[in-house]
Amino acid sequence: MIELIPAIDIINGQCVRLTRGDYDQKTVYSSDPVEVAKEFERLGFRRLHVVDLDGAKSKRIVNAPVLQSITEATHLTVDFGGGIKTEEDIEKAFEHGASLVTVGSVAVTRPTLFIKWLHKYGADKMILGADVRRGKVSINGWKEDSEEDLLPFLRRYIDEGVKNVLCTDISRDGMLNGPSLDLYSQVMRAYPGLNLIASGGVSSNEDIEALERIGVPSVVFGKAYYEGRIDITQLLKPWD
């Protein structure tokens, strides 16, 4: 059974979604992310993906208090990303209740530092963020494209012990036009033991089922839920 991970993206303390990572194309879905998280728990979800979009833009954690409020109000396992650039940021995320942290830009710009963190905190606590645009890994809140090709980038860190990878096809994020099945199929064929977390483009239960059929272990979704395109009852039925 594919792991289902709803997402809460935060700007100015509000629950929002962007389109293709564009901060000028923002939709606010709730002024209270904590209540949204509590609703996810009430529905039966066990995991939550929280993204500090202010942090991603500012290159430092901004919404740690919101993270803490969510983790204090629920029993959800929360992975947190956005603005994690230093060890102090990682410590802050854990201190405010995150169970895992997602790190992307540092893995591109300072690979030795990322490997140090991976070995210090352990692969079970770290998610490698690998957000892709036109085949290249993107950084700093999707504002910049690197020269890193996805599969060799992943290989470098899998060899160092990475188990968890969050991969977003930026061109599909927030578009509700289906996930990048070809991209995820390539990754799963190359690294079948990887806990790949697919993100971007999910628009329906059928999209999630398609990801499960190609062997993707986990999926993050947000906009499709907020806009009522996913039948939560059917999604969670196998867990009953």
Side-chain angles (χ1 to χ4, degrees), residues 2-26:
I2 193 168
E3 184 177 30
L4 306 169
I5 310 174
I8 293 178
D9 293 355
I10 303 168
I11 292 179
N12 295 329
Q14 298 177 310
C15 176
V16 308
R17 294 298 288 175
L18 305 181
T19 298
R20 292 178 174 170
D22 186 347
Y23 284 73
D24 293 326
Q25 296 188 60
K26 176 183 72 175

Side-chain angles (χ1 to χ4, degrees), residues 20-233:
R20 292 178 174 170
D22 186 347
Y23 284 73
D24 293 326
Q25 296 188 60
K26 176 183 72 175
T27 303
V28 177
Y29 288 104
S30 173
S31 61
D32 192 344
V34 177
E35 286 303 314
V36 175
K38 288 165 70 174
E39 177 66 8
F40 283 135
E41 184 174 45
R42 187 192 68 76
L43 288 168
F45 291 102
R46 303 170 184 179
R47 276 281 298 274
L48 180 64
H49 176 61
V50 175
V51 182
D52 183 352
L53 289 174
D54 293 312
K57 197 171 185 179
S58 303
K59 302 184 182 181
R60 60 179 178 82
I61 291 179
V62 174
N63 287 292
V66 180
L67 168 64
Q68 183 166 348
S69 295
I70 289 171
T71 57
E72 287 180 347
T74 72
H75 295 95
L76 294 165
T77 298
V78 177
D79 69 76
F80 180 82
I84 296 178
K85 307 295 185 187
T86 67
E87 197 161 309
E88 289 73 20
D89 290 323
I90 294 178
E91 295 290 347
K92 178 183 273 192
F94 287 142
E95 286 166 6
H96 286 76
S99 296
L100 304 95
V101 294
T102 300
V103 180
S105 300
V106 170
V108 174
T109 60
R110 302 182 67 188
T112 302
L113 181 60
F114 177 79
I115 291 168
K116 175 187 171 186
W117 292 347
L118 178 66
H119 294 166
K120 177 174 180 177
Y121 295 101
D124 292 333
K125 291 282 192 179
M126 302 286 289
I127 300 173
L128 173 62
D131 302 325
V132 181
R133 181 163 39 213
R134 295 183 292 274
K136 301 292 186 181
V137 178
S138 233
I139 60 174
N140 294 328
W142 302 351
K143 296 298 181 186
E144 304 170 40
D145 293 333
S146 74
E147 293 302 314
E148 295 275 2
D149 291 312
L150 179 62
L151 292 182
F153 174 76
L154 296 181
R155 167 54 65 194
R156 178 192 312 163
Y157 293 116
I158 290 170
D159 288 346
E160 291 290 341
V162 158
K163 298 178 182 177
N164 307 300
V165 171
L166 174 67
C167 184
T168 304
D169 183 338
I170 296 168
S171 69
R172 293 177 181 261
D173 190 69
M175 298 300 292
L176 298 174
N177 59 358
S180 189
L181 296 176
D182 289 344
L183 174 69
Y184 300 130
S185 293
Q186 288 177 30
V187 174
M188 293 313 301
R189 283 197 302 269
Y191 312 118
L194 185 67
N195 180 32
L196 177 66
I197 307 165
S199 172
V202 170
S203 65
S204 64
N205 289 45
E206 289 73 22
D207 285 339
I208 293 173
E209 290 163 5
L211 287 166
E212 186 169 27
R213 281 196 298 273
I214 64 172
V216 173
S218 305
V219 58
V220 165
F221 55 88
K223 192 171 185 177
Y225 165 79
Y226 295 116
E227 300 204 351
R229 292 171 175 255
I230 288 177
D231 184 338
I232 298 298
T233 304

